[in-house]
Amino acid sequence: MDEETTKEESQILDIKIRRTFDEKSKEWYFSIVDVVGTVTNSTDARNYWKVLKNRFKNGYNEKYRQLVTRCNQLKMLAKDGKAYLTDVADQETILQIIASITPSKIEFFKSYFEELKEEDLRIELAKKEDLPSPVKLLLAHDKNMGAELLIDMYQKDADIWIEAFIAGVAVSEINISVTSKKITIEGKCSQLESIPENKYLHQELIWTNFYRAILLPCKIRASEVEASEKDGHLFIRLPKV
């Protein structure tokens, strides 16, 4: 993976691709212009898609002509805060459009869509539970509900760094799982002493599991990952390949 590819995939993590759920089809639809702008870095993604769509319509390839017919129009919010009809497509169609432009991005977007599915599942389950409102709740991979661990992630020299606050939790008590493309961090904030409910005068602290799954912007050497803690501050160093 070259430096330019790493830079582009890092940008994909940051960009917001608009999506909307269609109640009739029970499917998520994604803004094609947003996707095209992401994979091409075009300064005029709308015109890029217009030209590409016309090429598909008028081309000799039946596969691409059918691809256009599978695109729909749904209202989505624009930068001016108003909703406009926007060309959208489901996940399968989006992947085919990406394949026609930049096939090398296919696997990355498959991972991106998989992350969205997991996020939607966690949010839906959290809505069904009677849980404290100050906590953004997600589903840990062991199926227990927990709080989302907030993080900073940045590149420095030849490493990816992740930082988080874990006051009261030792690094040895945190489970960090790493692959070349993804890292998961989970642990539990526990009380040192159990206090009976009727003894509380004020109660705001949340004692719960925490969890975070993060799609990495580039491949890393999983066997060389290091984690350390200082004054309740977690540092994870992930050496890039």
Side-chain angles (χ1 to χ4, degrees):
M1 181 177 293
D2 57 35
E3 183 177 350
E4 186 62 28
T5 302
T6 299
K7 179 181 178 182
E8 289 175 357
E9 292 191 349
S10 296
Q11 291 172 344
I12 289 176
L13 288 178
D14 296 332
I15 200 166
K16 299 296 182 183
I17 296 175
R18 290 172 295 167
R19 59 184 179 133
T20 186
F21 189 75
D22 181 44
E23 290 293 344
K24 291 183 179 179
S25 63
K26 301 299 180 183
E27 291 274 357
W28 277 105
Y29 285 86
F30 300 83
S31 164
I32 299 175
V33 169
D34 291 353
V35 172
V36 168
T38 296
V39 299
T40 64
N41 290 323
S42 172
T43 56
D44 191 352
R46 192 172 302 279
N47 186 62
Y48 190 108
W49 167 238
K50 180 180 178 181
V51 172
L52 184 63
K53 183 167 64 171
N54 286 333
R55 190 180 301 163
F56 286 168
K57 285 181 178 178
N58 302 320
Y60 294 103
N61 192 317
E62 179 63 24
K63 172 185 173 182
Y64 288 140
R65 288 202 299 270
Q66 291 180 1
L67 195 63
V68 174
T69 65
R70 290 167 55 188
C71 298
N72 299 297
Q73 281 201 324
L74 294 173
K75 283 192 174 183
M76 285 188 166
L77 286 177
K79 291 181 179 179
D80 62 5
K82 297 180 181 179
Y84 300 97
L85 284 174
T86 305
D87 282 355
V88 298
D90 60 19
Q91 177 180 323
E92 182 182 351
T93 306
I94 287 292
L95 290 176
Q96 291 182 17
I97 292 173
I98 294 171
S100 73
I101 303 171
T102 315
S104 62
K105 293 292 192 298
I106 289 294
E107 289 305 316
F108 184 85
F109 266 86
K110 284 182 179 179
S111 297
Y112 168 76
F113 287 134
E114 202 60 40
E115 288 293 314
L116 290 180
K117 286 182 181 179
E118 292 180 8
E119 178 185 348
D120 290 337
L121 174 62
R122 292 192 292 264
I123 291 173
E124 285 304 310
L125 287 173
K127 287 178 180 178
K128 297 176 182 179
E129 299 292 333
D130 183 16
L131 295 164
S133 58
V135 182
K136 182 180 179 183
L137 295 155
L138 296 176
L139 178 67
H141 72 249
D142 65 356
K143 309 305 180 186
N144 292 319
M145 297 303 294
E148 180 183 32
L149 179 68
L150 302 180
I151 61 103
D152 278 348
M153 181 168 67
Y154 53 87
Q155 298 191 58
K156 184 178 179 182
D157 300 326
D159 302 317
I160 299 293
W161 284 86
I162 292 176
E163 296 186 24
F165 294 127
I166 55 164
V169 184
V171 172
S172 59
E173 298 174 342
I174 298 175
N175 181 24
I176 300 174
S177 303
V178 185
T179 67
S180 63
K181 295 183 179 180
K182 184 178 180 180
I183 180 171
T184 59
I185 309 166
E186 60 181 325
K188 184 176 183 179
C189 295
S190 302
Q191 289 178 287
L192 297 178
E193 180 184 356
S194 180
I195 308 296
E197 287 292 326
N198 61 357
K199 297 296 183 181
Y200 278 100
L201 301 175
H202 204 66
Q203 188 176 13
E204 292 182 342
L205 299 179
I206 304 298
W207 305 103
T208 185
N209 296 337
F210 57 81
Y211 175 83
R212 187 66 181 267
I214 306 155
L215 187 64
L216 299 172
C218 60
K219 289 185 178 180
I220 56 97
R221 297 194 294 274
S223 62
E224 299 178 25
V225 171
E226 297 177 350
S228 60
E229 179 268 338
K230 181 179 180 182
D231 299 329
H233 199 166
L234 174 67
F235 298 88
I236 303 176
R237 183 179 72 87
L238 303 107
K240 294 188 289 185
V241 172

